[in-house]
Amino acid sequence: MSNRLLPGTRALRTFEAAGRHLNFTRAAEEVGLTPAAVSYQIKEMEQQLGIELFVRSSRSIRLTPAGAIVFEAASEALENLQRAVGRARKMARGSSPLRLSLGARFATNWLLPRLSHFREAVPSLELTFDITDDVRDFELDDIDAAIRFGSGQYANARSDRLFETTVVPVCSPALLEAGDGLKAPEGLLKHTLCHVDCHVGGQPWPNWPMWMAAAGIDDFDASRCVAFSEASHVVQAVLEGGAVGLAEPAMIESELRQGRLVKLFDIELAVMPEFAYYLVYPKSGQFDPRILAFREWLLNEVHASHLTEAGSAAPAAV
């Protein structure tokens, strides 16, 4: 087949999205076109190739047998091209910034406050960030390394365990000083309680019914609980003074240190003990001096942070 009969990359992306969704409207949303424009591009491809790619009805579309063959080839070709572009970008960057993927919670509450330490320790290395909780493909998404919460088992990658995490009840100093029953866990029943409502690895994130069970409070009525999809919303609700929240101590270090939040009680819930925060990077990264430098600093920072936490915990237990 002559090259002039092959569709361009834009047309292939549109066709691949339509074939994956089997819906022109959802494909249009993904590629940034109107449904009519997607339909038009598909018709142009069919005319160009001389084959019918989709069977259309008033309510649905489906790939024809010939369309399925082209769809499989287009998907593979686009992925290979994206991987090649990712490798090319890394090669072009050379010794330039290390691109790190991490979630917004970890970035804002743990890493960014420590960036001055990093610049002092490794002044020659610059970091750029991809802020997302989505799992990234190191080649496909042009990522050098990632920090993720999970099992640490990732295909074709190495991982270093940073730390596990827990959730604890916290409130504002003003709420605590009001003295409205916050001397014992039972006193929490008088207050609005908030927590994160999400699942990781198919398991629920610790919530107030789970914490109350650990505190020995039976028949807990969860009707006063407010569930948020983001931990930052829980922290904000607590900072505003009207609620008691479950939060990760490692993610609210500065608020605890500054006295903007106060930890209540000594009952902590482990967040899925088999899970932890990990530094993840491709196997080839063990030879990348940028990754090695960042890894060494990160592990040292985690170690120093844990020593600080252990030292500051002693007075609180008195």
Side-chain angles (χ1 to χ4, degrees):
M1 179 179 291
S2 171
N3 286 341
R4 64 184 177 84
L5 296 180
L6 292 176
T9 304
R10 183 179 178 84
L12 286 177
R13 284 187 62 243
T14 302
F15 167 65
E16 190 276 336
R20 181 161 28 88
H21 293 293
L22 293 179
N23 183 290
F24 285 167
T25 299
R26 288 201 292 271
E29 292 172 355
E30 180 176 321
V31 299
L33 297 172
T34 65
V38 168
S39 179
Y40 179 76
Q41 280 203 4
I42 299 299
K43 286 180 180 177
E44 275 199 329
M45 276 189 63
E46 290 177 325
Q47 292 173 359
Q48 185 179 11
L49 297 174
I51 56 177
E52 187 178 28
L53 299 172
F54 290 98
V55 175
R56 300 161 176 84
S57 70
S58 59
R59 294 185 178 182
S60 65
I61 62 171
R62 71 177 189 274
L63 288 162
T64 64
I69 293 173
V70 177
F71 172 75
E72 182 178 353
S75 300
E76 184 177 344
L78 289 170
E79 182 172 335
N80 287 340
L81 180 58
Q82 284 186 290
R83 290 183 184 279
V85 170
R87 290 195 299 270
R89 284 176 175 165
K90 288 182 181 180
M91 182 180 297
R93 283 208 309 266
S95 59
S96 62
L98 179 77
R99 186 158 175 75
L100 180 69
S101 180
L102 70 168
R105 183 176 71 252
F106 194 98
T108 302
N109 299 299
W110 199 94
L111 184 62
L112 293 184
R114 292 172 166 82
L115 275 187
S116 60
H117 302 173
F118 174 75
R119 294 192 181 101
E120 291 174 5
V122 195
S124 61
L125 179 58
E126 183 181 348
L127 298 176
T128 62
F129 301 107
D130 168 61
I131 306 297
T132 180
D133 287 315
D134 295 339
V135 176
R136 294 300 202 188
D137 185 303
F138 290 118
E139 288 188 353
L140 200 61
D141 299 305
D142 187 26
I143 298 298
D144 296 308
I147 294 175
R148 288 289 177 261
F149 183 78
S151 65
Q153 303 300 314
Y154 302 97
N156 302 314
R158 297 172 65 92
S159 59
D160 292 299
R161 187 183 181 96
L162 302 178
F163 54 85
E164 62 279 358
T165 191
T166 62
V167 297
V168 298
V170 293
C171 72
S172 69
L175 193 64
L176 183 62
E177 290 168 7
D180 192 11
L182 290 176
K183 302 297 183 183
E186 289 78 7
L188 293 169
L189 302 179
K190 302 178 182 179
H191 295 272
T192 299
L193 307 176
C194 55
H195 59 251
V196 176
D197 180 20
C198 71
H199 287 71
V200 177
Q203 300 183 55
W205 196 264
N207 53 38
W208 277 110
M210 295 163 67
W211 190 91
M212 291 295 180
I217 298 176
D218 299 323
D219 300 323
F220 171 64
D221 179 7
S223 63
R224 295 183 65 91
C225 293
V226 178
F228 293 102
S229 60
E230 297 289 341
S232 60
H233 298 160
V234 172
V235 174
Q236 188 61 39
V238 176
L239 286 171
E240 291 175 357
V244 179
L246 289 175
E248 298 172 80
M251 298 300 139
I252 54 170
E253 283 181 353
S254 61
E255 287 86 355
L256 292 172
R257 186 170 56 251
Q258 296 164 11
R260 298 172 63 207
L261 291 178
V262 180
K263 176 184 171 183
L264 298 172
F265 317 118
D266 293 324
I267 301 171
E268 298 188 359
L269 284 185
V271 181
M272 292 159 274
E274 69 274 22
F275 282 16
Y277 287 100
Y278 285 87
L279 172 66
V280 187
Y281 47 95
K283 290 182 177 179
S284 59
Q286 62 185 309
F287 306 111
D288 187 328
R290 299 170 306 155
I291 294 177
L292 294 179
F294 178 73
R295 174 184 179 275
E296 181 179 6
W297 171 81
L298 185 62
L299 293 177
N300 286 339
E301 195 71 20
V302 167
H303 180 67
S305 177
H306 284 181
L307 289 179
T308 301
E309 289 173 10
S312 62
V318 174

